[in-house]
């Protein structure tokens, strides 16, 4: 294992109360026992302090605040003498960007620019020296791939199709520009679809699991044959640590799982895991009485093909050879049995963490679901 560079040990983490941010903070504190982290998070509908529960408060400080608040970010960098930050904070859901794009421009573009301004002021103008700005981005910036086309490389044209993807692409451009123009030590990782614990049930995997358990319909957009490259969140977090420690300033790295699956395949895995879990554990029937498997039927009966997203991307796939070569990255849960084991473990996590997901599917969430799925 590479020794941890002290520069990358103590970190400001934006969006650390969200899905990937929280998994990253947990992994970072565990793998680097002397490290300290300050999480800056606005606790939007997607942020949840429960995602950080159990962490040592002496090593993980939480600040509720907005990344658009440049003076606050400067103050945090100065006060804690941090020389590195990992930027997760974003509006991250494509469906929401279709219903309301403005917030995506505000958070993802203006917010990222605010962080860049703060980093430039503190790390370049006030106290010049080593520093690192790690921007967490997405494969969606490349747009959609034909089924037979080779995977996207870092040199593929940027052709975002949704307002979400466009706002992330714009933020990537700003990060790159701050490196080229002002000498900011910045790197970008563009990652594929994550699954794992603490993901809000508005995204495909947790939404399908929770709906199975509640006996609600399983909405598959279009023909259900859209392809995504599924990666366990811990693999993504590991890749971020590698890039933070040894990525080259100004570079972009694709992070994927080499694990392409259709939404229908993902749904079948979930249904099969839940049906089997109910067969093995009779107590689940009393815990989730509305789940079809509780009465010996299959969750497959809940499947509903619904209207697709406008401008839906058919396929994403990433060529990860640069990250393999330059960072020593490899997805640990790669295609085949390893993926299925990691995926089953994720389904189990939601089966046993119902208190967590029940707490996030309350009033506001219900309103959003009604709006998103009405007339679909
Ligand atoms: P998420 O929606 O679960 O979490 C986003 C977090 O950002 C929340 O905690 C929210 O409160 C916070 N936030 C939002 N606006 C803020 C603001 N103005 N100031 C401070 N905090 C704010 O997102 P996620 O799925 O964990 O994604 C994290 C990052 O990774 C995003 O940048 C996303 O684009 C990127 N990404 C996600 C995936 C994926 O599969 N989920 C894949 C590739 C890249
Ligand atoms: O590729 C990386 C991206 O992955 C991240 O940048 C985004 O933040 C993250 O949300 C995710 O975007 P997707 O749009 O690919 O993920 P989502 O889970 O929303 O949808 C995955 C696929 O499943 C997509 O083809 C749409 C489909 N889908 C989604 C939902 C919510 C359904 O069929 N039914 C649904 O109800």
């Amino acid at each position: 294992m590479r020794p941890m560079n002290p520069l990358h040990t103590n970190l400001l983490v934006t969006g650390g109360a969200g899905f990937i941010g929280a998994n990253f903070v947990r992994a970072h504190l565990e793998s680097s026992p002397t490290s300290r982290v300050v999480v800056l998070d606005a606790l939007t509908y997607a942020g949840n302090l429960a995602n950080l529960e159990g962490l040592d408060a002496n090593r993980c400080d939480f600040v509720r605040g907005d990344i658009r608040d440049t003076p606050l970010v400067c103050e945090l960098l100065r006060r804690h003498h941090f020389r590195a930050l990992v930027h997760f904070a974003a509006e991250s859901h494509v469906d929401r960007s279709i219903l309301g794009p403005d917030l995506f421009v505000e958070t993802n573009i203006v917010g990222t620019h605010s962080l860049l301004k703060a980093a430039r002021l503190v790390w370049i103008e006030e106290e010049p020296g080593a520093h690192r700005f790690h921007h967490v981005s997405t494969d969606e910036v490349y747009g959609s791939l034909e089924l037979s086309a080779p995977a996207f490389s870092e040199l593929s044209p940027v052709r975002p199709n949704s307002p979400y993807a466009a706002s992330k692409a714009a933020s990537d451009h700003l990060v790159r520009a701050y490196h080229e123009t002002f000498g900011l030590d910045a790197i970008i990782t563009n990652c594929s679809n994550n699954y794992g614990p603490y993901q809000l049930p508005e995204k495909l995997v947790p939404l399908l699991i929770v709906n199975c358990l509640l006996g609600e319909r399983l909405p598959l957009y279009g023909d259900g044959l859209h392809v995504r490259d599924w990666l366990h969140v811990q693999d993504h977090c590991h890749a971020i640590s590698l890039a933070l420690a040894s990525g080259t300033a100004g570079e972009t790295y694709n992070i994927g799982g080499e694990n392409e699956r259709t939404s229908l395949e993902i749904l079948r895995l979930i249904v099969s895991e839940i049906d089997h879990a109910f067969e093995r554990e009779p107590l689940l029937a009393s815990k989730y009485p509305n789940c079809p498997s509780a009465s010996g039927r299959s969750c497959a009966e809940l499947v509903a093909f619904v209207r697709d997203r406008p401008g839906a991307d058919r396929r994403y796939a990433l060529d990860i050879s640069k990250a393999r070569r330059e960072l020593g990255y490899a997805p640990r849960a790669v295609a085949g049995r390893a993926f299925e084991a990691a995926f089953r473990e994720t389904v189990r996590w939601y089966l046993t963490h119902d208190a967590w997901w029940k707490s996030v599917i309350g009033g506001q969430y219900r309103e959003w679901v009604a709006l998103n799925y009405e007339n679909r």
Side-chain angles (χ1 to χ4, degrees):
M1 215 168 90
R2 281 169 224 256
M4 193 63 154
N5 179 340
L7 177 71
H8 310 133
T9 309
N10 299 328
L11 301 172
L12 179 64
V13 177
T14 73
F19 162 49
I20 306 173
N23 276 285
F24 175 80
V25 169
R26 288 178 176 280
H28 181 73
L29 293 177
E30 198 179 314
S31 66
S32 171
T34 57
S35 59
R36 277 187 313 115
V37 160
V38 171
V39 170
L40 172 64
D41 197 298
L43 294 183
T44 66
Y45 81 93
N48 186 352
L49 279 181
N51 298 357
L52 298 169
E53 238 165 50
L55 294 177
D56 179 352
N58 294 316
R59 297 180 59 213
C60 179
D61 202 0
F62 179 80
V63 176
R64 184 170 190 175
D66 197 307
I67 54 169
R68 289 169 296 178
D69 185 347
T70 319
L72 170 66
V73 178
C74 291
E75 212 264 310
L76 291 173
L77 295 179
R78 290 187 196 111
R79 181 170 7 128
H80 296 279
H81 305 287
F82 285 161
R83 304 293 298 182
L85 75 79
V86 187
H87 174 34
F88 294 94
E91 287 296 328
S92 70
H93 191 31
V94 173
D95 285 345
R96 288 183 188 258
S97 82
I98 295 168
L99 289 176
D102 298 59
L103 192 55
F104 286 71
V105 172
E106 270 300 315
T107 303
N108 299 355
I109 307 178
V110 178
T112 300
H113 188 233
S114 158
L115 289 175
L116 289 165
K117 285 193 293 183
R120 178 187 172 203
L121 181 67
V122 177
W123 292 340
I124 296 179
E125 292 175 7
E126 290 176 4
E127 295 173 42
H131 62 268
R132 173 139 286 186
F133 187 112
H134 186 136
H135 179 56
V136 179
S137 191
T138 172
D139 59 359
E140 299 205 10
V141 299
Y142 299 118
S144 189
L145 264 184
E146 294 298 322
L147 284 186
S148 57
F152 293 122
S153 82
E154 290 80 357
L155 299 175
S156 297
V158 171
R159 284 192 183 130
N161 290 321
S162 70
Y164 161 69
S167 68
K168 291 297 289 187
S171 66
D172 293 4
H173 288 320
L174 282 167
V175 173
R176 186 185 144 78
Y178 265 64
H179 169 73
E180 294 294 327
T181 307
F182 304 117
L184 190 75
D185 178 325
I187 51 170
I188 302 172
T189 44
N190 293 85
C191 188
S192 62
N193 285 61
N194 286 209
Y195 65 91
Y198 301 110
Q199 187 170 30
L200 204 66
E202 63 177 3
K203 308 283 170 67
L204 183 70
V205 170
L207 178 116
L208 294 180
I209 300 171
V210 165
N211 282 13
C212 281
L213 298 177
L214 297 176
E216 293 181 9
R217 72 175 182 159
L218 308 177
L220 268 187
Y221 295 171
D223 57 9
L225 298 180
H226 302 302
V227 176
R228 298 290 184 266
D229 172 8
W230 294 94
L231 181 72
H232 194 280
V233 65
Q234 279 166 15
D235 277 344
H236 185 188
C237 294
H238 180 59
I240 291 171
S241 298
L242 291 172
L244 189 62
S246 56
T248 303
E251 291 295 320
T252 290
Y253 299 93
N254 284 350
I255 308 298
E258 294 181 328
N259 183 37
E260 293 182 51
R261 309 270 163 162
T262 63
S263 308
L264 188 58
E265 285 174 305
I266 292 294
L267 179 141
R268 286 194 178 124
L269 277 173
I270 291 170
V271 163
S272 145
E273 181 54 24
I274 292 181
D275 287 350
H276 284 120
F278 275 70
E279 278 165 29
R280 283 191 310 265
E281 297 166 52
L283 283 179
L284 286 175
S286 48
K287 193 169 176 184
Y288 303 112
N290 295 329
C291 175
S293 325
S295 5
R297 307 191 317 272
S298 169
C299 291
E301 71 181 48
L302 299 172
V303 175
F305 288 90
V306 301
R307 192 162 52 84
D308 205 352
R309 286 174 178 156
D313 288 334
R314 193 61 172 165
R315 173 178 169 235
Y316 306 140
L318 287 177
D319 175 347
I320 58 169
S321 46
K322 181 176 175 186
R324 278 189 189 279
R325 201 173 53 243
E326 296 185 18
L327 307 177
Y329 164 74
R332 282 175 280 199
V334 284
R337 283 183 59 78
F339 161 70
E340 279 164 24
F343 197 83
R344 267 201 301 275
E345 202 180 285
T346 297
V347 178
R348 305 281 321 158
W349 190 89
Y350 288 88
L351 274 170
T352 52
H353 288 73
D354 50 309
W356 179 85
W357 56 259
K358 281 179 181 156
S359 75
V360 297
I361 59 166
Q364 250 191 13
Y365 174 84
R366 289 274 154 207
E367 278 168 35
W368 149 255
V369 167
L371 192 67
N372 191 34
Y373 293 95
E374 80 181 358
N375 305 322
R376 265 211 145 108

